[in-house]
Amino acid sequence: VVRLIGADAAMTAFAYVDTDSFSVTVGAIHKIALAMYPGTATGGLPFSPQPMVAVQDIGGNTVASHQGGTVTVYLHSSAVAGATLLGTTTAEVINGLASFNGLSIAQAGSPYTLGFTTDIALDGARMAYSNPFAVGVGPAASLRFVEEISDGATVGGQAFQVQPRLEILDAGGNLRAADSTSGVQGDFLSNPTGGTLTPSEYAFETVKIGRAH
């Protein structure tokens, strides 16, 4: 129902009239737009939530009756040289929506933006873009040697010529430089002579700025 109000030159209302009730229906497909933007992102882990693209009418309503066609996502702008978008980058449109799963970016940085394009014939926009977002450093996921014992000579009863040095990385391979609480425990994986690591109090090391040595 729409109310039409009559007013004089001073914008003082003097009368109104209401229309009969009516319905607004969803129109024909016209464009694509983001229905869900990529959410929290950390290196190497899937965005939460994952992006979702809607096929819409000219008024911005999702055309849920539309089936078929695909939407493809790509890295439109990158915060880090050489960064890539990982995961399945093409999604089928079902009930007017293209839902993506498992998308991630390994390299931490900001800002990133995603672009979306469709193969559906539309009179309006066939491309859409996310808002800029950041990829942060995620939880500890792996270790990487900076220096290995095998890089130098080893003699029984003497300190290793090269002491092991490691870095704590997230799932995307980013250094956890803010991590000074995790630890690294040293132990034998292979020990054919039954040797011991000494001094034992140094077999565990708390990391400092993401590194243990």
Side-chain angles (χ1 to χ4, degrees):
V1 177
V2 174
R3 173 165 290 181
L4 304 172
I5 302 172
D8 59 21
M11 297 304 295
T12 300
F14 58 80
Y16 65 86
V17 62
D18 295 336
T19 69
D20 292 333
S21 62
F22 59 92
S23 299
V24 177
T25 59
V26 176
I29 59 173
H30 181 76
K31 62 182 180 179
I32 62 169
L34 267 291
M36 182 74 72
Y37 285 81
T40 303
T42 57
L45 295 179
F47 308 144
S48 179
Q50 291 282 303
M52 184 182 298
V53 175
V55 179
Q56 298 180 340
D57 66 10
I58 198 169
N61 303 292
T62 298
V63 184
S65 61
H66 182 81
Q67 311 290 340
T70 61
V71 176
T72 298
V73 59
Y74 62 96
L75 197 56
H76 178 253
S77 65
S78 173
V80 179
T84 57
L85 179 64
L86 305 174
T88 302
T89 56
T90 297
E92 183 181 358
V93 176
I94 300 172
N95 299 330
L97 295 171
S99 301
F100 291 89
N101 293 286
L103 295 178
S104 67
I105 296 173
Q107 297 84 353
S110 175
Y112 286 99
T113 59
L114 301 181
F116 301 83
T117 184
T118 183
D119 59 4
I120 302 170
L122 299 170
D123 292 332
R126 295 179 60 196
M127 302 184 72
Y129 303 95
S130 73
N131 293 327
F133 63 93
V135 175
V137 177
S142 66
L143 300 172
R144 176 174 62 198
F145 273 112
V146 178
E147 291 183 305
E148 295 193 48
I149 297 169
S150 57
D151 291 338
T154 54
V155 178
Q158 297 182 16
F160 302 138
Q161 187 177 32
V162 176
Q163 295 291 313
R165 296 179 62 234
L166 302 101
E167 294 179 330
I168 311 295
L169 309 177
D170 70 3
N174 303 289
L175 175 67
R176 286 177 46 83
D179 187 351
S180 293
T181 58
S182 298
V184 176
Q185 175 72 46
D187 203 350
F188 285 110
L189 179 62
S190 174
N191 185 10
T193 63
T196 57
L197 284 175
T198 56
S200 59
E201 62 267 26
Y202 292 129
F204 179 86
E205 183 72 21
T206 301
V207 304
K208 298 178 180 64
I209 58 172
R211 295 181 173 90
H213 56 83

